[in-house]
Structures are given as C-alpha cells and as structure tokens.
Amino acid sequence: QVQLVESGGGLVQAGGSLRLSCAASGSFFSINAMGWYRQAPGKQRELVATITSGGDTNYVDSVKGRFTISRDNAKNTVYLQMNSLKPEDTAVYSCNAVVKRFRVSLAHDYWGQGTQVTVSS
C-alpha cells in the first residue's frame, strides 16, 4: 500500500507564511506527479499546485507568486511553501501523488488525509 502523510497546517494571520509537507511511504515503484489540492467550506476541491518528477510546476492563478511547490525525490516528499497568505486561502489542503506500484502497472492516484490551513484577517 501507499500512504501519504501531511504536516504543517495551522492558524496564521493574513500576510503570514506556512509550509506544508507530504511524505509518501509504503511499497511502490515510482511516483509521477505530486500536488496539493484544497477545499474550502461549501466549495469544490480545487487544484493548488502540481509538480512532475522532473520538476515542472503548475499553479492555480490565485496563488501564483505567493506559493511555491517543490519536491525531494530521494525522500518521496512534496512541499508547499505558502507566503503572503490571505483569508481566502483558508481550506483543508490535501496532498496527491500519482504512483506506480510496480514497473509494469498503471499509475493511480493516492491522497493524504488533509491538513487544515486557517488564515485570520
């Protein structure tokens, strides 16, 4: 099985910073893309940022210039550095990884349990 464990959420004032981490563990052949999604109360889940195994990144427009996604392939860990946080960034942030369990298998999505980020005004 594959487990994704997130850490780093919390309460911060507007303008502050937080860094989220998500470590993948278990038995698998490789991890393709990794990413962060968020869901605010009453809203649909949205993609925040993704990063490929080669380091190519993609961000939702609302976080460009404020958030930075990175990964440490040796540690199977993805990070999300969030700066200049705004109240509208408040949400549950979930980690996603596209994982191949075996060399010849298809890749599948795995999700972390989610971590709460609350930005006060």
Side-chain angles (χ1 to χ4, degrees):
Q1 267 293 4
V2 179
Q3 297 83 38
L4 300 179
V5 178
E6 299 132 334
S7 60
L11 173 64
V12 65
Q13 288 188 332
S17 298
L18 284 173
R19 188 191 194 209
L20 305 182
S21 299
C22 172
S25 63
S27 177
F28 50 86
F29 175 73
S30 66
I31 302 177
N32 297 345
M34 301 184 81
W36 291 94
Y37 292 71
R38 67 186 180 186
Q39 187 167 20
K43 295 186 177 182
Q44 289 188 327
R45 184 170 61 191
E46 68 168 349
L47 181 149
V48 177
T50 60
I51 184 167
T52 67
S53 57
D56 293 327
T57 59
N58 180 54
Y59 298 91
V60 66
D61 286 346
S62 60
V63 308
K64 286 180 180 178
R66 299 188 298 122
F67 291 11
T68 301
I69 189 170
S70 61
R71 66 190 281 177
D72 184 333
N73 291 330
K75 296 181 179 180
N76 296 318
T77 300
V78 64
Y79 306 95
L80 186 67
Q81 178 66 44
M82 304 184 293
N83 298 328
S84 303
L85 281 160
K86 304 175 181 180
E88 51 263 43
D89 294 318
T90 295
V92 175
Y93 285 69
S94 298
C95 170
N96 169 267
V98 181
V99 180
K100 291 187 68 173
R101 293 283 315 278
F102 308 98
R103 183 177 63 84
V104 296
S105 67
L106 296 175
H108 295 280
D109 283 298
Y110 291 86
W111 293 89
Q113 78 284 0
T115 185
Q116 177 70 45
V117 171
T118 303
V119 184
S120 63
S121 58

